[in-house]
Amino acid sequence: MKQLLEALANATKHLSLLDAAFTENYPDYKKMIRKLEESNGYKGLCREIYVGGKKKIIAIFRDNCITIIRA
């Protein structure tokens, strides 16, 4: 699990650095991001990446598989 968490942390750090650099240097990037954030699927994409918050997540471990259920 530690390796997975480190990989996710690195990916987040790199994406944040790229976002900051593009935001600062490319005005069209800001427009593109605004369109993305206003698109119909954006909130759903965010929920797929991280549900978090008040919703409950149940993980069931069985037969070397993990099943995730959102309650």
Side-chain angles (χ1 to χ4, degrees):
M1 184 59 104
K2 184 178 179 181
Q3 186 177 8
L4 173 62
L5 293 172
E6 288 174 358
L8 288 170
N10 285 332
T12 301
K13 181 180 177 182
H14 290 152
L15 183 58
S16 294
L17 290 171
L18 286 171
D19 181 60
F22 283 125
T23 298
E24 185 176 325
N25 296 299
Y26 299 99
D28 287 342
Y29 178 76
K30 291 178 189 179
K31 293 175 188 174
M32 183 182 71
I33 291 301
R34 195 174 311 115
K35 285 182 182 179
L36 171 67
E37 291 172 345
E38 293 170 354
S39 70
N40 292 333
Y42 182 73
K43 287 184 181 180
L45 174 63
C46 291
R47 282 191 299 272
E48 289 299 319
I49 294 172
Y50 179 72
V51 175
K54 297 178 182 178
K55 294 184 180 181
K56 295 179 183 178
I57 300 175
I58 301 167
I60 301 171
F61 302 92
R62 181 176 47 206
D63 300 325
N64 294 326
C65 291
I66 300 172
T67 303
I68 304 295
I69 301 170
R70 291 184 217 166

